[in-house]
Amino acid sequence: ISFRNNEIDFAYNDYASLLKEYYLDKKPLGHIIKQVVFNNTPIKLLPMVHCPRNETELLVTNIQNIIKNDNKLTKVIDLCAGSGCIGISLKNNINKISLSLLEIDDNSIESIMNNLILNKIQANIYQEDYFDFIKSSNEKFDVIVINPPYVAKKELDSTMTKYENAISFNNSEDEMLFYIEFFNHYQRIINFDHFLIGLEFGYDQKDKINDLIKENNLSKYATFYKDYSNHDRFVIIYKN
């Protein structure tokens, strides 16, 4: 097993342990080797920090292509940033943007700081509650990306939360709460004349997300995307 230029030499017992962790314990590979490559960007992971998923790269790639071709989209915030993979990889691939990241979890904040140093990137870090931020911040952004906790509590199981913090999957009795509050307050933090919003959501949540978009008269700006399993998983709302 190799990771970029660093080789990991496993003895048989180590290899057997790795296979057990991956196949039987369902430990994310990123946590086994403590790092991933996300959108051509190395991302280190501390224990219990949410491991980036391949599907999320689909959202980021589409956002990235739009930003590259629109010089007005320069000020970016990654909400519920986790390891920082979304925002940091965008900045790593598009130097023109100024980056901010918001996260409340201590381990995730440490991971973000490690990954900023690793990739030689400067950014503003907000360690505060998501709901407080969107309700009270006076900053305006051109691009908002959010991949919040959206898994229903009934779908959580011990294999999901054994190696990743439960709040990265669900942090509310209502799995839609992060989206509802976002659309209630997004105009406070967006440059409304020209903006991009990128959202990831659950495989069965498109209709509810679409209702929120319609209620805010944003339907003509919205494009939905599917993941590798052909589930509706992302939406980009782009007003140019």
Side-chain angles (χ1 to χ4, degrees), residues 192-209:
F192 197 71
D193 290 336
H194 192 103
F195 66 82
L196 184 154
I197 298 168
L199 303 174
E200 180 171 333
F201 52 85
Y203 69 93
D204 58 351
Q205 295 172 345
K206 178 186 177 181
D207 289 344
K208 293 179 180 179
I209 295 291

Side-chain angles (χ1 to χ4, degrees), residues 160-179:
M160 298 173 69
T161 58
K162 184 175 182 179
Y163 299 108
E164 297 172 285
N165 197 326
I167 66 169
S168 67
F169 295 106
N170 181 296
N171 200 20
S172 169
E173 291 297 326
D174 180 0
E175 64 269 21
M176 294 299 296
L177 183 62
F178 278 73
Y179 305 107

